[in-house]
Amino acid sequence: MAILLIGYDYTQARAAFITGAMATARANATDIDKEFAAVEAALRALAASPDLMRQDLRGFYEQARGLAASQNMLNIVLEDASGKQLINTFLPRGAALPPASVGSALRVISEHEATAISGIFVGEVSHRQVASVGVPVRYSAGDWPNQGGEVGALSAAVTVERFGALLSQQSYPEHWIASILDRDGNVVARSEDMQRYVGHKALPEVIRRMREGFEGGFETATLDGKPILAVMTRAGTSGWTVGIGIPLEVLNAELNRKLWLLVLVTATLMAAGLLVAWRIGNQVSRAIGALVTPAMALGRGEPVAPASYGLREADEVGNALVDAARMHALARHQATHDPLTGLANRTMFTEFLGRQVELCARFGAPLSLLYLDLDGFKHINDTYGHAAGDQLLTGAAARLRAELRKSDLAARLGGDEFAVVLVGSDAANTDIVVGKLEASLGRPHCIEGRELAAGASIGVAIMPAASGHPGAVPSAADLVADADDAMYRRKAQRKRAAAESLQS
């Protein structure tokens, strides 16, 4: 396994090397497009010159000459659609200009009215290796003699030294060789021996890969025959290519140093691991053994207390067991409690009542069931909205809890219906509790700045202490039905009393 990992690491290191070189090449390609974009932006701004619109070529010449000097351009040329030069800032104003010539760049500008970026060429006037950027200029009929409405070109030439400066600004590792190639595979700039190779064609294999749109790394040789690992990428706007060559001798030496260092470290770690393995094994064994107790507690549904087991992984498992116990308790609470009021829900109420009925029947203890319905809930909910209704329900639930013992159970069965199980409460005690609840629930609730009253109709069903006749013991369902009927009778009674009070 160690040998496989070492081999894998070697492969990954080589891939990482290529990835890093590709990132550098892409950054260089972006810089190239930025240079062209800066020249294009300057030319488009110049094309909107008022001097040009007024056909003041003398003023436009001076403006273009100043722009060329400030933007590190060799010269700026204005041509009409026939290729005739109207100005050339490389020459003095009034000097003879080269004869008309329609090149591929001008054809692209004229036909597509788009920016054209050339490859490198020797300038006809400057006799220097340059590349040009041209933008279209259009005039209304008659602005140029015999060229009514046609598209001309405003172009700028930049020297290869400008691109060489881009490469010199980069902090390449020692022995790396970076090159910039135009779309035809001509060397535009090189980080080493630039003057020697500018204008030369790249190797046929490189040109072939350029035409195929290849981006990535491959092994080849430099123009002077040095074996290298080459990575290449293309600039998106200009279509030029940036290539970086890393001598294989340097690359392999660096990778081999890392490889042997990794072998040495691996062997050392394996030897050290054999010496301490028994200690680690004992520590893990103790930690896992200690986890059995909280795991069993979790299985029984009991709470699990946080603890340290002397091992980070075991501590994480222990913390996971604590979280699981907490989430289990929360899930049980959510499954058995009403989310709005926090009271028991119908499921928990039914289970609790059935269990208490069985216990009271077995031990002869009394039990009372109260069924409550809020009288004014529907009116408040319809009049003031559901938010007010929810506040009324939560307020009523809080008052229920305040008047009950811990051994009793209050539940929300749905809507504005509540139930209370009074364990061990006979008729007399139940009457006292009912009186307290009616008084407490009858007090107004302060909701959204309003005093809103909603009393409660309470129905009571009592399971008396056992009398020695088991057949007379009611079931939980019987108690619920009796308490429900009693609640409706109580509600009707309260409505009649309220109506009589209004009449009087």
Side-chain angles (χ1 to χ4, degrees), residues 45-167:
L46 182 62
S49 168
D51 290 339
L52 184 59
M53 297 304 174
R54 292 193 301 266
Q55 303 182 49
D56 180 6
L57 294 184
R58 179 182 298 276
F60 183 72
Y61 172 85
E62 295 300 330
Q63 188 176 6
R65 188 172 183 180
L67 177 65
S70 65
Q71 296 294 321
N72 193 23
M73 303 173 187
L74 181 64
N75 69 322
I76 294 178
V77 175
L78 177 64
E79 300 174 271
D80 63 15
S82 68
K84 177 183 178 182
Q85 293 189 9
L86 302 179
I87 69 165
N88 187 328
T89 62
F90 192 82
L91 297 172
R93 173 68 183 158
L97 297 174
S101 174
V102 179
S104 58
L106 181 58
R107 283 195 294 271
V108 170
I109 295 172
S110 300
E111 293 174 7
H112 304 287
E113 294 192 41
T115 301
I117 299 174
S118 74
I120 66 166
F121 60 93
V122 178
E124 185 176 359
V125 176
S126 64
H127 303 293
R128 295 179 61 180
Q129 296 274 11
V130 295
S132 69
V133 180
V135 299
V137 288
R138 176 182 286 276
Y139 298 91
S140 59
D143 282 349
W144 285 353
N146 304 320
Q147 300 298 326
E150 295 188 16
V151 178
L154 183 64
S155 58
V158 292
T159 63
V160 294
E161 285 77 13
R162 183 165 179 170
F163 300 102
L166 283 179
L167 297 182

Side-chain angles (χ1 to χ4, degrees), residues 288-367:
I288 292 176
L291 287 170
V292 172
T293 300
M296 296 296 293
L298 175 62
R300 294 190 296 268
E302 299 174 357
V304 178
S308 177
Y309 302 96
L311 189 67
R312 185 188 64 187
E313 291 80 0
D315 289 343
E316 292 175 354
V317 174
N319 292 334
L321 293 176
V322 172
D323 292 340
R326 187 182 300 113
M327 289 187 292
H328 180 63
L330 177 61
R332 289 179 59 188
H333 182 273
Q334 292 174 340
T336 57
H337 288 74
D338 176 55
L340 176 62
T341 64
L343 299 180
N345 61 14
R346 184 180 290 273
T347 300
M348 184 175 180
F349 163 76
T350 303
E351 180 182 346
F352 182 82
L353 179 60
R355 186 166 60 251
Q356 293 302 321
V357 167
E358 293 179 0
L359 291 175
C360 290
R362 181 182 304 172
F363 296 107
L367 180 143

Side-chain angles (χ1 to χ4, degrees), residues 444-469:
H445 296 259
C446 182
I447 298 175
E448 297 179 353
R450 304 182 183 91
E451 295 289 335
L452 303 178
S457 297
I458 304 177
V460 181
I462 300 177
M463 175 180 171
S467 58
H469 301 286

Side-chain angles (χ1 to χ4, degrees), residues 211-288:
R211 291 172 179 169
E212 294 172 353
F214 173 82
E215 286 192 329
F218 60 98
E219 292 189 7
T220 182
T222 61
L223 289 172
D224 51 3
K226 295 180 181 178
I228 58 170
L229 171 67
V231 296
M232 55 189 293
T233 187
R234 175 174 294 182
T237 302
S238 63
W240 285 18
T241 297
V242 175
I244 295 179
I246 305 157
L248 286 179
E249 181 181 1
V250 175
L251 174 62
N252 292 334
E254 184 170 346
L255 292 177
N256 286 337
R257 281 196 302 271
K258 293 181 178 179
L259 173 65
W260 286 112
L261 178 61
L262 182 61
V263 170
L264 178 61
V265 171
T266 301
T268 303
L269 290 177
M270 290 177 65
L274 292 175
L275 293 176
V276 301
W278 65 273
R279 296 183 60 184
I280 296 174
N282 288 340
Q283 187 177 7
V284 170
S285 178
R286 288 193 299 269
I288 292 176

